[in-house]
Amino acid sequence: MNENPAALLPELFLLGAAVVGLLLGAWLPRDRQWLVRLLAAAAALAGLVATAVAAARPDELVFGTSYAVDTPTHATRAIVLVAVLVALALSVDATAGHRRETEFVVLLQLGALGTIVLGGANDLLLLLAAFLLASVPFYALAGWDKSSLGTEAAMKYYLSGAFLGVAMLTGTAILYGVGRATGYGPLREGLAAAPVAAAGVGLVAVLAGLLFKVGGVPGHFWVPDVTDGTPPAVAAIVTTIPKIGGLVALYRLLTVAVPADALDWPLLVAVLAAASMTLGNLAAFFQTTVQRLLAYSTISQVGYLLIAVAVAGRADLAQPALLYYVAGYAVTNLGAFAVVAEFPQARTIEDYRGMARQHPGLAVALAVCLLGLIGTPPTAVFVGKLAVFTAAVDGGFAWLAVLAIVNTVASVFYYLRWIAPTFRGTDSEAAALRPAGTWSAGTAYACAGLAVGLGVAGGVALPLLVGLPIPV
Amino acid sequence: MLSLIVFLPAVVAAVLLLVPATAPRRVFTGAWVGVSAVDLALVVAVWLTPGSGFRFEERVAWMPTVGISYHVGVDGISLPLVALTAVLFAGCAVFALRETRRVKSYVALFLALQTVSLGLFVALDLILFFLFFDLSIVFMYFLIAGWGHGERARAAALKFFLYTFLGSLALLLGFIVLYLAAEPHTFDIVELVAADPLAGGGPAAALALLAIGIGLAVKTPTVPFHTWLPPAHTEAPATGSAILAGILLKMGTYGFLRIAMPILPDTWRQYAVVAVVVGVVSVLYGALVALAQSDVKRMIAYTSVNHMGYVVLGVGAAGILAGSDEQARQLATTGAVTQMVAHGLITGALFLLTGVLYDRGRTYDMAAYSGLAARTPLFAGVFAVAAFASLGLPGFAGFIAEFQIFTGALASAPVATALAVLGILVTAALFLRALQRVFLGPERLPDAPGTPRPFADLHPSETVAIVPLLALATVIGVLPRFLLDVIEPASRALVELVAR
């Protein structure tokens, strides 16, 4: 039994900073709460260092076989921690000096901790616990600003989460019942001999919870309302961070615990991927508010990401494609939300008309991020899509690659609906484009730069992501 | 050397972005003219360096995990197009000296477009090719949407983006199939040509060629994928149209020569007749629809469909072994490359001339003008020369090109070639009619709102931009050896690859 807590250093840093930050915030005056944010940033940086150190060591299973410390976990940690840093910077303008600033930071950290554990969980019970840890703080975060829309969003988020969480709990119980284990390794053996119908029902129920986490069809109902009803900083967090761990959890569960010859999960995931990208795109077409547009865009992006899960284990590129795409998606999506956070008064696409005149740099950053989400080279999402499409064709899902290509073209339409007015001139000062501050703008520039830089540096990043999860 | 040529404009564009937009516009246009001249000089230096096969190759590993490298090089097929790009951008730079609207972003966009155009023609890696292919769409979109004519320009730009982006993704799908078929997996064009990964044919090969063919056919564009072209051209600014027709359309046909033919030789031979048919249909359809236009810019746009049809006919004929010898196929290939250069120069000049017309009269409608020859003799003369060059009169580059294509294609596709020759007749008719309507007869000028200036003749900067393009087209028409000596060894090598 390896119960060495040092194997969980990044997670412990997050937890420690959250607990200390909460206590600290309770005693600090309102204008000093930035110390909590600083502590969180320091913890995230320390976590990144610990991740780098851990990545150099051989893979291992810790705490029995419940938690895997391997390449997917390292990648999850690194991406989540970078996303946390970006989210901390992005939210300064909206939350600094707010009387619930500490709560914002702590909830972000706890949710991030949950999503990392989701990525590393190698046991159904731990997966369930991580699901709750990744969900509950984000319910609270959705209602953080106590506006009527935010409260409604939190309510909807909570209700769908509770419903699908119960489904996940039921699924876990069924899988345990028919597979006679909760650890992924023994579960694989158990499921190979289990009745197919019961195992299938159990698996679908567990997938329901994870699909809620990543915001994929059919667990996507909360996404538009939460994204549109919350402040941009919160929307950025809930549409980005849970996806990272959720997708890795899906990947790990399906490849490690479920034998594909007993249950045809690749086809199921392929259909879910197809539904997710198509529905997300179709719904995004004629949205007029930018946050709702981005919400549907994230649903379609999950569809592309699920393709990599569908061919997991059958194409060599599936895992690097998934992890790389997740990383690229995270920075690009956060960059787009950073621009939204910079102009909190600009709700609709029309409000952005003439932005290039007044804020040329931010208009370029927005264009880079949105074109990046389309998958224009040389941005990171392009390399991710290239790898995903290649994996799909290699894994025998060429039709899915074709569908994804058609969807990508369709997505150009609505991203351009936003890009085009920003570069159209009105000489009059656009009233809604009132900058919130320098932090959001700086984050937007950094994310746009990172989206391009990560794409160009794909040659360095991709080889780091090939190590398969243990114990496959 | 090639990297310098490719990225110099982008570097200058990045520097210009740091200059405040309030700086005198001469700073930006002057920088553009300067960098185009330097780039042109570098290309001439490359041209004068002797060598065979791929020259000035540079290769750096980029994403070794997925077989992608930064690999560039030029041979006799790409070098003429690189030179064409340098010349045409230099012409547009001079022409744009009179541009007054948001000059900073305008120049930066053009410099970026120059980088991606040059990069595409020297790319020897499929993903590098795709990168430049896609970025050309993005930059051209902003150009049409930002500097086109009003609200209709945005719709045209959107249509252009969606259509050509669909094409580019079809291309990507084909590239992925090639990548997976090659062992070891690679996106490198030279390695793929050597490996001939889908030599056995079969559904994968057909799918790859179909995807790549559609992708390139949209960009070329051939019938039935041409519908994005007329609105994009009509609504784009003159320089944008010149680059779109002169350079971006070549990316499609160049792709056939660089990728489809040498990497998929068996499949290309199998389906070459499809290219021949599509080419001939484009030739005739483009010419006939152009004949029906009253909008001069739309008319020239449709003649582009017609002219690119000859190129497709040529590359198709190069893939039909039955009934033709190697010399004929080589002639067809050489003619296709020559036609790309000729069309780039001549149509580039024609679009710049329509820009002059619009600048003076604020409309492209031919019916609005009459008798301009008396008022603007220089403009009328230059336009007439361009029109005659475009219709394939001997003595101009277009004639050399079309003659080679017809001679090369006659043996293997006699009916198609005979039909395609009719296209020349129709273009002759439409250009003569256009010249007659606009320049002869009683003088009549449009007096629509927004025509404040007296109808002036060609400005010196416009003359300097346009006349060299036509002069070069004439030189190629009279003394073509300097160009053909470069193309022929490469087309011989290509024909051998296709026949293997």
Side-chain angles (χ1 to χ4, degrees):
Chain A
M1 272 265 198
N2 177 359
E3 297 194 346
N4 175 16
L8 300 181
L9 266 186
E11 289 84 349
L12 290 177
F13 282 137
L14 268 180
L15 180 64
V19 172
V20 174
L22 192 60
L23 293 174
L24 199 62
W27 300 101
L28 282 172
R30 236 166 98 170
D31 56 352
R32 289 274 189 77
Q33 289 186 74
W34 56 266
L35 275 169
V36 177
R37 190 184 301 270
L38 197 65
L39 178 69
L45 284 172
L48 280 172
V49 173
T51 304
V53 172
R57 287 205 303 265
D59 296 348
E60 58 178 341
L61 289 175
V62 296
F63 291 88
T65 59
S66 63
Y67 199 73
V69 182
D70 54 9
T71 305
T73 306
H74 298 316
T76 313
R77 285 171 174 172
I79 301 166
V80 170
L81 290 172
V82 169
V84 166
L85 282 172
V86 172
L88 285 172
L90 185 154
S91 57
V92 170
D93 295 327
T95 61
H98 194 284
R99 60 197 174 93
R100 288 188 300 278
E101 182 182 2
T102 300
E103 284 87 330
F104 182 94
V105 174
V106 169
L107 288 171
L108 165 63
Q109 285 179 290
L110 289 175
L113 174 63
T115 201
I116 292 181
V117 179
L118 266 180
N122 199 43
D123 187 295
L124 281 178
L125 290 178
L126 184 62
L127 186 73
L128 195 64
F131 171 85
L132 291 174
L133 182 54
S135 300
V136 176
F138 287 138
Y139 301 150
L141 199 60
W144 175 81
D145 75 339
K146 287 194 177 175
S147 66
S148 57
L149 275 177
T151 312
E152 187 191 329
M155 200 63 200
K156 186 154 189 174
Y157 196 13
Y158 169 72
L159 284 178
S160 41
F163 174 65
L164 291 168
V166 168
M168 191 171 169
L169 181 62
T170 316
T172 305
I174 295 175
L175 284 182
Y176 178 46
V178 298
R180 298 203 175 83
T182 56
Y184 284 2
L187 187 61
R188 185 183 186 86
E189 288 158 26
L191 285 181
V196 173
V201 170
L203 181 65
V204 167
V206 172
L207 290 188
L210 289 175
L211 283 169
F212 158 77
K213 226 37 287 173
V214 302
V217 172
H220 67 287
F221 292 102
W222 59 273
V223 179
D225 291 318
V226 172
T227 313
D228 199 25
T230 54
V234 176
I237 291 166
V238 296
T239 56
T240 310
I241 292 181
K243 282 190 180 45
I244 305 167
L247 282 158
V248 176
L250 272 170
Y251 170 76
R252 190 188 294 279
L253 172 71
L254 292 171
T255 50
V256 180
V258 188
D261 44 355
L263 285 173
D264 191 11
W265 58 261
L267 185 64
L268 173 68
V269 178
V271 170
L272 290 172
S276 207
M277 59 187 162
T278 310
L279 280 175
N281 270 331
L282 291 180
F285 258 39
F286 295 104
Q287 297 303 329
T288 49
T289 64
V290 292
Q291 278 173 254
R292 204 164 265 272
L293 188 149
L294 279 176
Y296 285 110
S297 126
T298 69
I299 297 174
S300 71
Q301 296 284 339
V302 169
Y304 305 131
L305 283 158
L306 284 174
I307 297 176
V309 178
V311 293
R314 296 197 292 164
D316 294 339
L317 263 178
Q319 183 186 312
L322 174 71
L323 298 177
Y324 186 88
Y325 196 153
V326 168
Y329 163 77
V331 291
T332 315
N333 196 49
L334 285 171
F337 272 105
V339 176
V340 178
E342 175 70 0
F343 302 111
Q345 268 101 26
R347 300 271 312 151
T348 66
I349 290 174
E350 271 308 299
D351 289 337
Y352 282 80
R353 182 176 288 277
M355 175 184 169
R357 281 286 172 80
Q358 299 165 42
H359 310 281
L362 279 169
V364 170
L366 179 69
V368 168
C369 287
L370 294 183
L371 288 172
L373 286 174
I374 294 172
T376 314
T379 58
V381 172
F382 163 69
V383 181
K385 274 194 177 172
L386 173 68
V388 164
F389 293 169
T390 307
V393 176
D394 198 18
F397 279 128
W399 64 270
L400 202 53
V402 172
L403 186 67
I405 282 176
V406 172
N407 265 299
T408 302
V409 174
S411 74
V412 171
F413 175 74
Y414 60 82
Y415 290 119
L416 283 185
R417 277 187 65 228
W418 188 2
I419 295 177
T422 62
F423 285 89
R424 265 176 227 168
T426 48
D427 286 321
S428 58
E429 194 85 355
L433 290 176
R434 211 170 306 130
T438 51
W439 280 93
S440 309
T443 312
Y445 294 133
C447 285
L450 212 54
V452 177
L454 191 60
V456 175
V460 185
L462 274 170
L464 301 177
L465 305 173
V466 291
L468 290 173
I470 45 177
V472 166
Chain B
M1 183 72 166
L2 289 180
S3 294
L4 177 68
I5 292 175
V6 170
F7 290 104
L8 182 67
V11 170
V12 173
V15 173
L16 284 182
L17 285 179
L18 301 177
V19 178
T22 47
R25 65 189 171 92
R26 292 278 162 190
V27 173
F28 302 109
T29 50
W32 185 15
V33 173
V35 72
S36 313
V38 173
D39 236 14
L40 186 56
L42 290 172
V43 171
V44 170
V46 168
W47 188 290
L48 295 177
T49 313
S52 61
F54 286 111
R55 292 182 287 148
F56 296 96
E57 266 190 273
E58 295 167 29
R59 187 167 184 186
V60 185
W62 183 11
M63 292 182 219
T65 335
V66 277
I68 302 172
S69 60
Y70 172 80
H71 190 182
V72 295
V74 284
D75 67 349
I77 292 173
S78 49
L79 187 54
L81 294 168
V82 171
L84 169 71
T85 310
V87 168
L88 201 56
F89 270 96
C92 287
V94 175
F95 190 85
L97 286 172
R98 285 160 61 76
E99 180 65 48
T100 52
R101 293 175 297 160
R102 285 170 283 146
V103 178
K104 177 182 165 182
S105 0
Y106 179 80
V107 169
L109 263 181
F110 263 104
L111 287 170
L113 204 51
Q114 188 168 358
T115 285
V116 298
S117 305
L118 291 165
L120 183 126
F121 291 128
V122 300
L124 290 179
D125 183 279
L126 292 176
I127 295 304
L128 198 60
F129 181 93
F130 179 80
L131 182 148
F132 291 126
F133 195 93
D134 245 21
L135 287 181
S136 75
I137 299 171
V138 173
F139 292 135
M140 186 49 83
Y141 167 80
F142 282 112
L143 202 59
I144 299 175
W147 285 265
H149 309 310
E151 199 58 44
R152 278 174 313 155
R154 336 263 197 242
L158 180 67
K159 188 172 182 182
F160 161 78
F161 198 126
L162 287 176
Y163 222 131
T164 49
F165 200 74
L166 176 68
S168 81
L169 287 174
L171 202 57
L172 185 65
L173 186 66
F175 290 173
I176 289 173
V177 174
L178 290 179
Y179 165 81
L180 291 171
E183 206 54 62
H185 296 337
T186 181
F187 281 109
D188 191 84
I189 293 178
V190 179
E191 283 175 17
L192 283 169
V193 169
D196 190 8
L198 291 166
L207 174 74
L209 186 63
L210 180 70
I212 293 175
I214 288 178
L216 296 173
V218 169
K219 190 89 172 181
T220 300
T222 67
V223 176
F225 302 111
H226 66 286
T227 49
W228 61 266
L229 180 82
H233 268 307
T234 316
E235 307 306 335
T239 42
S241 285
I243 296 300
L244 180 57
I247 309 296
L248 265 59
L249 301 193
K250 308 299 174 292
M251 295 177 177
T253 45
Y254 173 74
F256 283 114
L257 292 161
R258 175 59 69 225
I259 297 166
M261 293 169 73
I263 300 182
L264 292 161
D266 302 274
T267 325
W268 181 260
R269 291 200 305 271
Q270 198 179 342
Y271 296 102
V273 67
V274 177
V276 169
V277 171
V278 167
V280 172
V281 171
S282 298
V283 164
L284 293 176
Y285 183 81
L288 289 172
V289 179
L291 186 65
Q293 301 304 316
S294 60
D295 179 314
V296 63
K297 210 171 179 187
R298 199 170 260 267
M299 178 190 89
I300 296 170
Y302 275 110
T303 66
S304 287
V305 177
N306 160 276
H307 283 128
M308 299 313 282
Y310 295 125
V311 182
V312 177
L313 170 64
V315 297
I320 300 182
L321 299 193
S324 69
D325 58 3
E326 190 172 318
Q327 205 187 354
R329 297 197 301 273
Q330 191 194 321
L331 207 55
T333 314
T334 310
V337 180
T338 318
Q339 172 73 344
M340 289 194 240
V341 177
H343 176 257
L345 291 170
I346 297 166
T347 306
L350 274 172
F351 274 122
L352 292 182
L353 286 165
T354 58
V356 173
L357 191 69
Y358 186 84
D359 180 61
R360 313 291 195 270
R362 294 285 151 199
T363 172
Y364 292 123
D365 189 4
M366 282 190 272
Y369 301 93
S370 177
L372 289 188
R375 193 173 185 108
T376 57
L378 182 59
F379 176 58
V382 175
F383 199 103
V385 170
F388 282 122
S390 182
L391 63 82
L393 203 68
F396 293 106
F399 171 74
I400 300 283
E402 283 156 26
F403 177 73
Q404 292 187 83
I405 293 173
F406 293 147
T407 316
L410 191 60
S412 51
V415 179
T417 311
L419 287 172
V421 174
L422 292 178
I424 294 197
L425 209 62
V426 181
T427 42
L430 70 93
F431 271 117
L432 290 175
R433 205 176 55 130
L435 287 175
Q436 197 183 4
R437 282 165 78 176
V438 175
F439 294 105
L440 304 181
E443 185 177 304
R444 190 173 71 247
L445 298 174
D447 49 5
T451 53
R453 277 162 291 182
F455 209 94
D457 206 345
L458 280 187
H459 191 271
S461 72
E462 291 164 344
T463 317
V464 172
I466 297 167
V467 170
L469 301 178
L470 294 173
L472 202 53
T474 318
V475 170
I476 294 173
V478 181
L479 303 164
R481 282 318 317 172
F482 82 97
L483 177 65
L484 299 182
D485 283 343
V486 171
I487 301 173
E488 275 168 0
S491 60
R492 191 178 312 126
L494 179 63
V495 164
E496 280 166 13
L497 283 175
V498 174
R500 76 187 140 145

